[in-house]
Amino acid sequence: MARVVVDVMLKPEILDPQGQAVQRALPRLGFESIADVRQGKRFELEVAGPVDDAALARIHEMAETFLANTVIEDFVVKVEESK
């Protein structure tokens, strides 16, 4: 089995209130040098069978139609090596 990861992040021009809340809390916890925080989602998909071009195209389609709101989010699909 192979693992495919889909990372979903808000587009840079979209306000990220959760990331801003984390950024404001960090100095109070002793972490002073963080200039910005963006919060996102990570989906790890275990794929039965080979991860060929057709499988990656289907996963890309799944990410575009279900995992990400492409109006406000970008996503990246990557294959992770087996451990």
Side-chain angles (χ1 to χ4, degrees):
M1 247 189 284
R3 176 179 288 169
V4 177
V5 174
V6 180
D7 287 317
V8 180
M9 294 293 294
L10 288 170
K11 291 182 178 183
E13 63 271 15
I14 302 297
L15 182 65
D16 183 357
Q18 289 177 305
Q20 288 178 342
V22 170
Q23 181 185 1
R24 286 191 305 270
L26 289 174
R28 291 191 302 266
L29 298 171
F31 301 100
E32 301 292 336
S33 62
I34 306 302
D36 191 27
V37 176
R38 302 286 292 175
Q39 187 255 334
K41 301 178 278 191
R42 175 182 169 104
F43 298 92
E44 295 181 358
L45 310 171
E46 295 292 332
V47 180
V51 180
D52 55 12
D53 289 342
L56 282 174
R58 284 294 286 162
I59 291 168
H60 191 276
E61 180 184 1
M62 175 188 6
E64 193 168 43
T65 59
F66 182 67
L67 301 179
N69 176 350
T70 56
V71 173
I72 62 169
E73 294 174 319
D74 291 324
F75 66 91
V76 175
V77 176
K78 35 187 182 187
V79 179
E80 283 194 348
E81 291 185 25
S82 300
K83 295 180 181 178

